Amino acid sequence: MSTKIEKRLYILEIIAIFIVVIILFIFKAWPEYQASLGSSEKMFSNKEYATAIEVKVANGPEFFLVINEKNNLSFIFIENQKTAVLVNQNIEGKNINKAIPEIIEKLIDNHLIENQTITLINYKDDTVFKKVVSLVQSTLNENQTTSQIIEEKSTLQIKAEQENISATQDSEILWELYFISRELMDDIKDTTTTSNEQTSSEKEITEDQAAMYADTIYQKINTYMINAKVKNQNRNNEDMPIQYIPGDNNNEIYPTTSSWYYIKNYKVYAEIGIPSKNREYIFCYNGSQEEKRKGSCS
């Protein structure tokens, strides 16, 4: 066999291997990677944008909702760390009829919205905007929460100027907002657990108080399970990280980093540690609050 033919065959082998690698990446590695991400971390796609609505709570969360042609909430771009309660909560992908009330209820549950002015900014579709305003108002009313709603209208180009984004095309601006959101999410992951535990450990807490805080955290996990209809969930699942769940109304008491829970057949099993200034209180929940005991789970 001539040298030229050998070289051609070698080149064809390399090309074939390269093609196989690309195919495996597209059909196996990439889907697996996407599946490993939380609901708020999915890769952005311009195809999922039909309109957008920004939500700004005075002294509270600020976030940008991307809605597709089917009126499904495609993405939540967070704009400050107070929006951490909405990250990876499996709200994305739902129709706005379900997604918007769920968002407002989570803000209410975390005491981030009551008696605060809520500014809703329309970026395109008036019909969808009116529907979202109505959903926000009705959810506030149902939860007997007092908040004033202010309606505004803007454009992505104005938003770009406010965020010092040099892009002018809608698609480019949306990608920049996505990147800003992902950076904030990474910051939240890096700092929330540490800062929460430091804040909690600065307080002197009695055993009775710790038990009450642990019960509150357990009840919130149970509520999440019921609302999300979660039958089974692994211990290391990050859909609802236990370290982000406050045990008090002031969002100052959080579980220790060693705390964990899992869900099996609609029952929550958990080990919840509450840090105090001089010690840590640990409580074990064996499927219900009634099956609670002091100390680590065996």
Side-chain angles (χ1 to χ4, degrees), residues 39-40 60-63 76-92 106-107 110 112 181 184-189 191-193 195-196 238-241 243-246 251 254:
S39 63
S40 300
E62 297 182 4
F63 48 96
I76 301 175
F77 296 161
I78 68 170
E79 298 180 320
N80 64 18
Q81 293 203 358
K82 292 182 179 180
T83 319
V85 296
L86 300 181
V87 173
N88 292 337
Q89 297 302 305
N90 293 320
I91 303 172
E92 297 88 344
K106 285 191 180 294
L107 297 182
N110 286 275
L112 294 169
S181 176
L184 278 169
M185 287 182 201
D186 290 341
D187 290 342
I188 288 170
K189 282 185 176 181
T191 62
T192 299
T193 300
S195 62
N196 286 345
E238 293 190 358
D239 285 348
M240 181 74 164
Q243 285 79 15
Y244 293 171
I245 304 174
N251 296 339
Y254 289 82

Side-chain angles (χ1 to χ4, degrees), residues 200 205-223 242 245-249 253-256 259-261 268-275 280-286 288-290 292-295:
S200 299
I205 297 173
T206 67
E207 185 174 308
D208 288 342
Q209 289 173 322
M212 179 184 65
Y213 295 141
D215 284 347
T216 298
I217 293 164
Y218 184 84
Q219 289 164 7
K220 288 182 177 180
I221 298 171
N222 207 56
T223 300
I242 190 171
I245 304 174
D248 66 323
N249 293 337
I253 306 299
Y254 289 82
T256 59
S259 300
W260 53 262
Y261 78 92
V268 177
Y269 299 82
E271 181 176 297
I272 302 176
I274 303 296
E280 175 185 347
Y281 300 97
I282 300 175
F283 303 91
C284 178
Y285 296 80
N286 193 29
S288 70
Q289 193 166 325
E290 290 71 27
K292 167 192 173 185
R293 62 178 174 81
K294 291 188 289 184

Side-chain angles (χ1 to χ4, degrees), residues 156-168:
L156 289 175
Q157 285 67 37
I158 293 174
K159 178 67 176 173
E161 291 179 9
Q162 293 170 344
E163 299 294 332
N164 293 319
I165 295 172
S166 59
T168 57

Side-chain angles (χ1 to χ4, degrees), residues 101 133-143:
V133 172
S134 176
L135 288 167
V136 172
Q137 187 63 70
S138 62
T139 307
L140 291 171
N141 294 340
E142 288 170 6
N143 288 272

Side-chain angles (χ1 to χ4, degrees), residues 11-60:
I11 292 171
L12 287 173
E13 286 179 5
I14 293 175
I15 293 173
I17 292 171
F18 183 69
I19 291 172
V20 169
V21 170
I22 291 175
I23 291 172
L24 286 173
F25 177 78
I26 293 173
F27 292 101
K28 183 172 173 59
W30 181 251
E32 288 178 356
Y33 169 70
Q34 285 283 78
S36 71
L37 298 175
S39 63
S40 300
E41 300 170 311
K42 301 295 185 183
M43 185 65 71
F44 175 69
S45 170
N46 278 302
K47 294 179 181 179
E48 289 296 315
Y49 168 74
T51 187
I53 296 170
E54 190 171 14
V55 182
K56 291 179 176 286
V57 180
N59 304 310

Side-chain angles (χ1 to χ4, degrees), residues 107-120:
L107 297 182
I108 292 171
D109 290 344
N110 286 275
H111 308 281
L112 294 169
I113 203 169
E114 190 166 1
N115 297 321
Q116 299 291 339
T117 300
I118 306 170
T119 302
L120 300 178

Side-chain angles (χ1 to χ4, degrees), residues 53 65 67 71 94-105 108 118 120 127-143 149:
I53 296 170
L65 306 177
I67 300 168
N71 285 353
K94 296 180 180 178
N95 188 273
I96 58 172
N97 291 321
K98 291 184 178 180
I100 301 304
E102 194 169 327
I103 287 171
I104 300 304
E105 285 170 1
I108 292 171
I118 306 170
L120 300 178
T127 302
V128 174
F129 181 72
K130 289 177 182 178
K131 179 65 175 176
V132 169
V133 172
S134 176
L135 288 167
V136 172
Q137 187 63 70
S138 62
T139 307
L140 291 171
N141 294 340
E142 288 170 6
N143 288 272
I149 296 177

